[in-house]
mmCIF file of all heavy atoms in Angstrom:
data_model
loop_
_atom_site.group_PDB
_atom_site.id
_atom_site.type_symbol
_atom_site.label_atom_id
_atom_site.label_comp_id
_atom_site.label_asym_id
_atom_site.label_seq_id
_atom_site.Cartn_x
_atom_site.Cartn_y
_atom_site.Cartn_z
ATOM 1 N N ASP A 248 -4.390 21.148 11.185
ATOM 2 C CA ASP A 248 -5.336 20.836 12.241
ATOM 3 C C ASP A 248 -4.601 20.312 13.474
ATOM 4 O O ASP A 248 -4.928 20.668 14.610
ATOM 5 C CB ASP A 248 -6.373 19.808 11.793
ATOM 6 C CG ASP A 248 -7.268 20.326 10.657
ATOM 7 O OD1 ASP A 248 -7.411 21.532 10.535
ATOM 8 O OD2 ASP A 248 -7.813 19.507 9.963
ATOM 9 N N SER A 249 -3.637 19.449 13.212
ATOM 10 C CA SER A 249 -2.843 18.892 14.341
ATOM 11 C C SER A 249 -2.078 20.003 15.082
ATOM 12 O O SER A 249 -2.058 20.014 16.303
ATOM 13 C CB SER A 249 -1.818 17.880 13.825
ATOM 14 O OG SER A 249 -2.462 16.858 13.077
ATOM 15 N N ALA A 250 -1.511 20.933 14.331
ATOM 16 C CA ALA A 250 -0.781 22.012 14.964
ATOM 17 C C ALA A 250 -1.737 22.893 15.817
ATOM 18 O O ALA A 250 -1.391 23.262 16.944
ATOM 19 C CB ALA A 250 -0.106 22.880 13.892
ATOM 20 N N HIS A 251 -2.912 23.200 15.272
ATOM 21 C CA HIS A 251 -3.887 24.001 16.063
ATOM 22 C C HIS A 251 -4.293 23.277 17.299
ATOM 23 O O HIS A 251 -4.442 23.908 18.385
ATOM 24 C CB HIS A 251 -5.092 24.351 15.171
ATOM 25 C CG HIS A 251 -4.874 25.414 14.207
ATOM 26 N ND1 HIS A 251 -5.670 25.583 13.072
ATOM 27 C CD2 HIS A 251 -3.952 26.377 14.158
ATOM 28 C CE1 HIS A 251 -5.239 26.644 12.383
ATOM 29 N NE2 HIS A 251 -4.200 27.129 13.030
ATOM 30 N N ASN A 252 -4.486 21.957 17.186
ATOM 31 C CA ASN A 252 -4.875 21.184 18.402
ATOM 32 C C ASN A 252 -3.717 21.070 19.373
ATOM 33 O O ASN A 252 -3.956 20.720 20.525
ATOM 34 C CB ASN A 252 -5.293 19.807 17.937
ATOM 35 C CG ASN A 252 -6.628 19.813 17.204
ATOM 36 O OD1 ASN A 252 -7.442 20.764 17.403
ATOM 37 N ND2 ASN A 252 -6.879 18.827 16.368
ATOM 38 N N GLY A 253 -2.490 21.376 18.977
ATOM 39 C CA GLY A 253 -1.346 21.177 19.840
ATOM 40 C C GLY A 253 -0.976 22.387 20.663
ATOM 41 O O GLY A 253 -0.120 22.262 21.553
ATOM 42 N N MET A 254 -1.609 23.518 20.440
ATOM 43 C CA MET A 254 -1.284 24.695 21.233
ATOM 44 C C MET A 254 -2.456 25.659 21.293
ATOM 45 O O MET A 254 -3.219 25.722 20.369
ATOM 46 C CB MET A 254 -0.095 25.445 20.584
ATOM 47 C CG MET A 254 -0.286 25.821 19.127
ATOM 48 S SD MET A 254 1.201 26.616 18.393
ATOM 49 C CE MET A 254 1.010 26.134 16.655
ATOM 50 N N PRO A 255 -2.622 26.331 22.444
ATOM 51 C CA PRO A 255 -3.660 27.297 22.576
ATOM 52 C C PRO A 255 -3.417 28.533 21.648
ATOM 53 O O PRO A 255 -2.262 28.805 21.263
ATOM 54 C CB PRO A 255 -3.606 27.734 24.017
ATOM 55 C CG PRO A 255 -2.243 27.365 24.439
ATOM 56 C CD PRO A 255 -1.809 26.252 23.672
ATOM 57 N N CYS A 256 -4.469 29.249 21.259
ATOM 58 C CA CYS A 256 -4.342 30.369 20.359
ATOM 59 C C CYS A 256 -3.405 31.454 20.863
ATOM 60 O O CYS A 256 -2.657 32.041 20.070
ATOM 61 C CB CYS A 256 -5.693 30.984 20.095
ATOM 62 S SG CYS A 256 -6.822 29.896 19.152
ATOM 63 N N TRP A 257 -3.440 31.688 22.173
ATOM 64 C CA TRP A 257 -2.596 32.789 22.695
ATOM 65 C C TRP A 257 -1.119 32.436 22.435
ATOM 66 O O TRP A 257 -0.306 33.367 22.249
ATOM 67 C CB TRP A 257 -2.843 33.019 24.159
ATOM 68 C CG TRP A 257 -2.505 31.888 25.124
ATOM 69 C CD1 TRP A 257 -3.379 30.989 25.626
ATOM 70 C CD2 TRP A 257 -1.235 31.594 25.620
ATOM 71 N NE1 TRP A 257 -2.688 30.118 26.447
ATOM 72 C CE2 TRP A 257 -1.362 30.457 26.440
ATOM 73 C CE3 TRP A 257 0.060 32.125 25.464
ATOM 74 C CZ2 TRP A 257 -0.281 29.879 27.145
ATOM 75 C CZ3 TRP A 257 1.133 31.527 26.132
ATOM 76 C CH2 TRP A 257 0.936 30.446 26.970
ATOM 77 N N PHE A 258 -0.782 31.175 22.505
ATOM 78 C CA PHE A 258 0.621 30.785 22.253
ATOM 79 C C PHE A 258 0.972 30.826 20.760
ATOM 80 O O PHE A 258 2.086 31.246 20.414
ATOM 81 C CB PHE A 258 0.881 29.380 22.810
ATOM 82 C CG PHE A 258 2.330 28.948 22.714
ATOM 83 C CD1 PHE A 258 3.248 29.330 23.634
ATOM 84 C CD2 PHE A 258 2.743 28.180 21.612
ATOM 85 C CE1 PHE A 258 4.574 28.945 23.494
ATOM 86 C CE2 PHE A 258 4.061 27.779 21.495
ATOM 87 C CZ PHE A 258 4.990 28.194 22.451
ATOM 88 N N SER A 259 0.057 30.473 19.925
ATOM 89 C CA SER A 259 0.310 30.463 18.487
ATOM 90 C C SER A 259 0.721 31.860 18.043
ATOM 91 O O SER A 259 1.777 32.017 17.392
ATOM 92 C CB SER A 259 -0.944 30.014 17.710
ATOM 93 O OG SER A 259 -0.766 30.131 16.319
ATOM 94 N N GLU A 260 -0.049 32.861 18.385
ATOM 95 C CA GLU A 260 0.267 34.229 17.945
ATOM 96 C C GLU A 260 1.312 34.838 18.870
ATOM 97 O O GLU A 260 2.168 35.653 18.456
ATOM 98 C CB GLU A 260 -0.961 35.080 17.939
ATOM 99 C CG GLU A 260 -2.025 34.631 16.978
ATOM 100 C CD GLU A 260 -1.531 34.655 15.533
ATOM 101 O OE1 GLU A 260 -0.497 35.195 15.203
ATOM 102 O OE2 GLU A 260 -2.298 34.109 14.648
ATOM 103 N N GLY A 261 1.287 34.503 20.163
ATOM 104 C CA GLY A 261 2.240 35.048 21.119
ATOM 105 C C GLY A 261 3.698 34.654 20.811
ATOM 106 O O GLY A 261 4.603 35.490 20.901
ATOM 107 N N GLN A 262 3.877 33.369 20.494
ATOM 108 C CA GLN A 262 5.221 32.937 20.132
ATOM 109 C C GLN A 262 5.715 33.611 18.867
ATOM 110 O O GLN A 262 6.911 33.960 18.744
ATOM 111 C CB GLN A 262 5.329 31.420 20.012
ATOM 112 C CG GLN A 262 6.709 30.892 19.884
ATOM 113 C CD GLN A 262 6.806 29.441 19.383
ATOM 114 O OE1 GLN A 262 5.991 29.052 18.502
ATOM 115 N NE2 GLN A 262 7.769 28.703 19.887
ATOM 116 N N ALA A 263 4.882 33.721 17.894
ATOM 117 C CA ALA A 263 5.234 34.376 16.627
ATOM 118 C C ALA A 263 5.696 35.771 16.853
ATOM 119 O O ALA A 263 6.598 36.285 16.170
ATOM 120 C CB ALA A 263 4.073 34.306 15.615
ATOM 121 N N ASN A 264 5.122 36.482 17.811
ATOM 122 C CA ASN A 264 5.533 37.830 18.150
ATOM 123 C C ASN A 264 6.808 37.806 19.029
ATOM 124 O O ASN A 264 7.739 38.603 18.829
ATOM 125 C CB ASN A 264 4.447 38.618 18.882
ATOM 126 C CG ASN A 264 3.584 39.438 17.950
ATOM 127 O OD1 ASN A 264 3.866 39.497 16.760
ATOM 128 N ND2 ASN A 264 2.513 39.989 18.452
#
Side-chain angles (χ1 to χ4, degrees):
D248 294 338
S249 303
H251 282 160
N252 290 335
M254 55 183 151
C256 291
W257 65 260
F258 184 83
S259 175
E260 298 297 351
Q262 188 195 38
N264 268 353

